[in-house]
Amino acid sequence: MFNFIQNNILRMVWLNDLVGSFLKFFRIDLNTKIGEAIQFFIYDVLKIFILLCALIFIVSYIQSFFPPERSRKIMSKFKGISANIVAALLGTVTPFCSCSSIPLFIGFTSAGLQLGVTFSFLISSPMVDLGSLILLMSIFGAKIAVAYVLLGLVIAVIGGKIIESAKMENEIEEFILNANVGEVSQSEMTIEDRINFSKDQVVSTFKKVYPYVLVGVGIGAIIHNWIPQDFIEKILGQKSILGVVIATIVGVPMYADIFGTIPVAEALFAKGALLGTVLSFMMAVTTLSLPSMLMLRRAIKPRLLRLFIIICVIGIIIVGYIFNIFSYLFI
């Protein structure tokens, strides 16, 4: 049963066969690099778009039960490390990219939540949302997906505790500290309201992310069919001790979400890049994109921003090496 779900619902093997039959009908030779690239592109785009729309609808429906004010109230009830854990878990049902998470982080900080708690949320939200879990399962399988999410949550919790212990409350910009956040009454949504909200989120998010999906799949197709395997293995494979570090550094300045990053990761993995190296690249792209860091700089001062980036980079590199060392347990 699990194999059926993995192959036919998550990986959609039938869709790949259908695309292949469609291309053969138009006499496109699938044994050539161009033919393989076209099949890879069409199949991956369709698969990701189908999963994308289904995931956004489901996650948005769940998210409708956790508006910002309710999330703030939930997090304010917990203290110590349990507060960081709850914040990290709430991050899994919030928007799919770091830029969308920052306004919520600002709201939580303005409302007086502990700084370490809000940073646990900020780290986990783009890194380990439910979308990443399902999409990773579709490419790498359940074991890798679950381990990725768990380690991402660990980074979020530990990172939040480190920032809390650093006592950097004075590194928050004044306009946030002085913001007057009152109680917001949340009217109870009906099922129809939640469905309409979820539909709107599907359309809105799809419009934002589809260009990154197309670019990501296009890059994946190029890597999959034209970049020599020896070249990838030399830089990101077993021959490279610094592969995880290189992948993390390369990923930091890029901007994409999980939907645009996974096709690139899939192609790199197929070409011989080590599992942990690929996952480090994904984490770096989704968590530390340059646009999101520029947005975050408006809310926090340089010293705290540097600490946040250092914590995330070190955590991502450690996770990458853990996956590389113990990859035999997952593959």
Side-chain angles (χ1 to χ4, degrees):
M1 184 63 180
F2 178 78
N3 288 335
F4 175 84
I5 294 174
Q6 179 75 24
N7 292 325
N8 293 285
I9 297 178
L10 297 177
R11 289 182 177 167
M12 299 186 194
V13 176
W14 56 270
L15 180 61
N16 189 45
D17 296 337
L18 184 62
V19 171
S21 299
F22 176 80
L23 294 176
K24 287 179 181 178
F25 178 79
F26 288 95
R27 297 183 179 180
I28 296 176
D29 188 355
L30 301 182
N31 294 319
T32 64
K33 288 185 177 181
I34 293 179
E36 289 180 356
I38 293 173
Q39 183 178 14
F40 179 94
F41 183 85
I42 295 175
Y43 161 64
D44 251 34
V45 166
L46 291 176
K47 179 184 70 174
I48 291 175
F49 280 167
I50 292 170
L51 287 173
L52 169 67
C53 293
L55 283 170
I56 293 173
F57 185 89
I58 294 170
V59 171
S60 298
Y61 193 88
I62 296 172
Q63 187 184 342
S64 69
F65 292 93
F66 298 96
E69 179 61 22
R70 180 173 294 178
S71 298
R72 186 190 70 79
K73 288 181 178 179
I74 291 172
M75 289 192 288
S76 64
K77 294 178 181 178
F78 295 86
K79 304 296 179 184
I81 195 169
S82 61
N84 296 88
I85 294 172
V86 170
L89 291 172
L90 280 174
T92 64
V93 293
T94 50
F96 295 102
C97 68
S98 51
C99 288
S100 301
S101 306
I102 290 173
L104 290 174
F105 160 78
I106 292 173
F108 292 151
T109 305
S110 299
L113 291 178
Q114 290 181 336
L115 190 61
V117 173
T118 59
F119 268 95
S120 287
F121 167 84
L122 183 62
I123 295 170
S124 74
S125 182
M127 186 184 290
V128 292
D129 57 67
L130 295 178
S132 64
L133 175 63
I134 301 301
L135 284 174
L136 280 168
M137 288 177 65
S138 72
I139 303 298
F140 298 109
K143 288 183 180 179
I144 294 173
V146 171
Y148 173 91
V149 170
L150 289 177
L151 288 173
L153 289 172
V154 169
I155 292 176
V157 172
I158 294 177
K161 294 304 293 183
I162 292 174
I163 289 174
E164 180 182 322
S165 65
K167 305 295 183 184
M168 288 190 172
E169 284 74 12
N170 61 338
E171 292 294 313
I172 302 295
E173 294 292 351
E174 291 296 324
F175 78 92
I176 294 178
L177 294 176
N178 297 330
N180 184 16
V181 180
E183 294 294 319
V184 180
S185 75
Q186 298 287 343
S187 57
E188 191 65 32
M189 298 176 70
T190 64
I191 293 178
E192 184 178 357
D193 291 335
R194 298 187 194 281
I195 291 175
N196 290 332
F197 169 77
S198 302
K199 289 179 180 178
D200 291 341
Q201 289 295 102
V202 169
V203 175
S204 175
T205 307
F206 185 87
K207 288 179 179 179
K208 292 178 183 177
V209 306
Y210 83 86
Y212 302 109
V213 173
L214 296 177
V215 172
V217 175
I219 294 173
I222 292 172
I223 293 172
H224 192 272
N225 293 281
W226 279 285
I227 303 298
Q229 184 164 339
D230 290 344
F231 177 76
I232 299 295
E233 289 180 347
K234 183 178 180 180
I235 298 177
L236 302 176
Q238 292 181 350
K239 301 176 182 179
S240 175
I241 298 176
L242 297 177
V244 170
V245 178
I246 294 171
T248 303
I249 293 174
V250 169
V252 167
M254 297 178 65
Y255 177 64
D257 51 35
I258 191 71
F259 302 104
T261 308
I262 278 189
V264 180
E266 178 185 12
L268 289 173
F269 185 65
K271 281 289 185 175
L274 294 181
L275 175 61
T277 304
V278 169
L279 296 181
S280 291
F281 171 77
M282 288 176 51
M283 282 185 166
V285 172
T286 56
T287 308
L288 295 171
S289 67
L290 183 58
S292 67
M293 293 303 99
L294 293 175
M295 287 180 62
L296 187 59
R297 171 61 188 90
R298 297 181 61 186
I300 64 177
K301 297 177 183 178
R303 185 163 165 257
L304 179 54
L305 181 62
R306 285 195 298 269
L307 178 60
F308 169 73
I309 293 173
I310 290 170
I311 289 171
C312 289
V313 168
I314 292 175
I316 289 169
I317 290 173
I318 291 173
V319 167
Y321 281 114
I322 288 174
F323 268 104
N324 282 348
I325 292 170
F326 298 103
S327 60
Y328 66 92
L329 296 175
F330 305 106
I331 301 174

